Amino acid sequence: MIVDHGHVVGNASRAAIISNRRITGLSAAVIAELVTEVGPLWRERHQAKLASRPRKRAVGAGAKHQLVFVDRLLATLVHLRHAATHDVPASWFGVDRSTITRAIGEVRPLLAERGCTISTGVRLRALAEVIDHIGASRKSGIIDGTEIRVRRPAAGRKDRDKFISGKSKQNAVKTMVVTDGDGRMLFCSPTQHGSCAGITHARQLGLVRLLGGGPAAEILADAGYQGLGAQTGGRVVTPPHRKFKKNAPDWYEEMHERQRKAHSSRRIRVEQGIAHLKNWRALARHLGRREHISDTVQAIAGLLSHQQTADLASARPM
């Protein structure tokens, strides 16, 4: 592996993957930053894992890795971006499928722990940090929930019905997404069962407590979060209630529709942010093990925010 001026140079498969942003969803410069940042963490954990178990040979003896770290990272990115089976990167890099499975299992948690990038060297990893950032920036944040389809749990599992979404009538998990007013990704929560309501999930994450005791921050939300406004002193803003259920005056209908559309036009950015998130096919429908879905969601959110930050920096005039 050679890192030269932000570009990683290697074998033909590696070079082809890095040179085409459509394959990983990331630019070559961002991939180089990931190699520099995550590579040492992976090596540190790998060495700690080797040293933690009883050994008959010294650490470093025996068979060597068939994949260097950059190839492990690229295999993980391809899997997340396109939901490719592990056989695909295995054939590209000329290794066994189990090698790719092990590589993805090691790299994905490291990507999930990075958090969302808002500027060079500044990351948001917890919801409390997100609320503080929104309050300090004096701009609005937007929250919404999104569902990710998962495989149906095995028959006889006691919590099988918890995965059935009342909205889509499918087996799914939910995550709460937070973006800024421009649709930039700020946070994706760990997933919850599909039967959990969005407002319940927000309360479980501590949103009411954080807004009640934190900085003044405006959070836009849809009608599914009505009730949080009263609990947070008006800091969660939802669409206006209808005061007339029937026989409403024409002037009221016009005013209500105008207010509803104004709120919707401000909140639409979070839908665009979720659409960018779902462009990573691993979140269109998750076919892997359900215990990995939280790491998958948070890893993709971190990668997306990193690329968004890099694109904004490159677009600024020099």
Side-chain angles (χ1 to χ4, degrees):
M1 179 190 69
I2 302 173
V3 180
D4 181 26
H5 301 294
H7 294 279
V8 183
V9 183
N11 59 33
S13 295
R14 187 189 306 166
I17 294 172
I18 294 171
S19 63
N20 192 337
R21 182 168 168 174
R22 290 179 297 178
I23 297 179
T24 63
L26 305 176
S27 64
V30 169
I31 293 174
E33 291 175 12
L34 289 173
V35 172
T36 302
E37 176 190 348
V38 183
L41 296 176
W42 173 80
R43 284 186 284 273
E44 180 182 336
R45 292 197 182 183
H46 179 66
Q47 291 300 318
K49 182 179 179 181
L50 292 178
S52 66
R53 62 192 185 200
R55 306 187 60 85
K56 294 184 178 180
R57 292 184 294 186
V59 174
K64 301 299 184 288
H65 280 303
Q66 294 178 280
L67 284 179
V68 295
F69 172 75
V70 63
D71 292 339
R72 292 169 178 268
L73 174 64
L74 293 176
T76 304
L77 294 178
V78 170
H79 169 70
L80 295 176
R81 181 67 176 175
H82 299 284
T85 62
H86 297 177
D87 295 302
V88 174
S91 64
W92 286 356
F93 292 109
V95 296
D96 190 75
R97 182 183 187 276
S98 61
T99 301
I100 298 297
T101 301
R102 184 164 54 251
I104 293 174
E106 293 171 350
V107 175
R108 181 173 49 205
L110 295 175
L111 296 177
E113 293 169 8
R114 296 173 66 245
C116 289
T117 305
I118 57 171
S119 62
T120 304
V122 180
R123 300 265 169 75
L124 303 176
R125 295 180 174 85
L127 185 57
E129 296 175 351
V130 176
I131 299 302
D132 289 341
H133 167 71
I134 294 172
S137 66
R138 298 181 181 276
K139 296 181 179 179
S140 299
I142 315 173
I143 64 170
D144 199 5
T146 185
E147 295 185 352
I148 303 162
R149 290 183 62 190
V150 296
R151 293 184 302 169
R152 189 180 186 186
R157 179 169 170 169
K158 62 180 181 180
D159 60 349
R160 190 185 196 196
D161 292 342
K162 288 184 179 180
F163 287 93
I164 300 177
S165 166
K167 179 179 179 180
S168 64
K169 311 301 181 186
Q170 295 174 334
N171 289 276
V173 294
K174 293 181 178 179
T175 182
M176 189 180 80
V177 177
V178 184
T179 70
D180 64 12
D182 296 321
R184 288 183 58 196
M185 193 63 56
L186 299 181
F187 178 74
C188 267
S189 72
T191 58
Q192 185 57 273
H193 295 121
S195 61
C196 180
I199 190 171
T200 302
H201 193 193
R203 288 171 176 149
Q204 291 173 348
L205 292 169
L207 182 64
V208 174
R209 173 179 52 82
L210 292 171
L211 288 174
E218 182 186 56
I219 306 294
L220 305 177
D222 64 14
Y225 294 89
Q226 282 181 346
L228 290 186
Q231 296 175 353
T232 59
R235 295 182 180 182
V236 174
V237 182
T238 55
H241 286 281
R242 289 188 64 89
K243 294 183 179 180
F244 294 88
K245 293 187 177 180
K246 56 183 179 179
N247 301 324
D250 292 341
W251 64 266
Y252 178 81
E253 289 287 359
E254 293 176 3
M255 181 187 69
H256 182 271
E257 186 67 10
R258 184 168 60 252
Q259 292 175 341
R260 188 190 64 80
K261 286 185 177 180
H263 180 84
S264 178
S265 65
R266 295 182 65 198
R267 203 192 62 81
I268 193 64
R269 294 292 188 176
V270 72
E271 303 289 355
Q272 296 168 353
I274 291 174
H276 289 306
L277 203 64
K278 293 292 184 74
N279 281 338
W280 294 68
R281 302 302 295 173
L283 298 186
R285 182 176 182 182
H286 184 73
L287 298 176
R289 300 174 68 91
R290 286 180 297 276
E291 53 264 36
H292 296 155
I293 185 63
S294 286
D295 278 350
T296 298
V297 170
Q298 294 181 305
I300 292 174
L303 294 169
L304 175 59
S305 68
H306 193 162
Q307 187 60 61
Q308 288 174 333
T309 301
D311 290 342
L312 283 174
S314 63
R316 293 193 187 102
M318 300 299 291

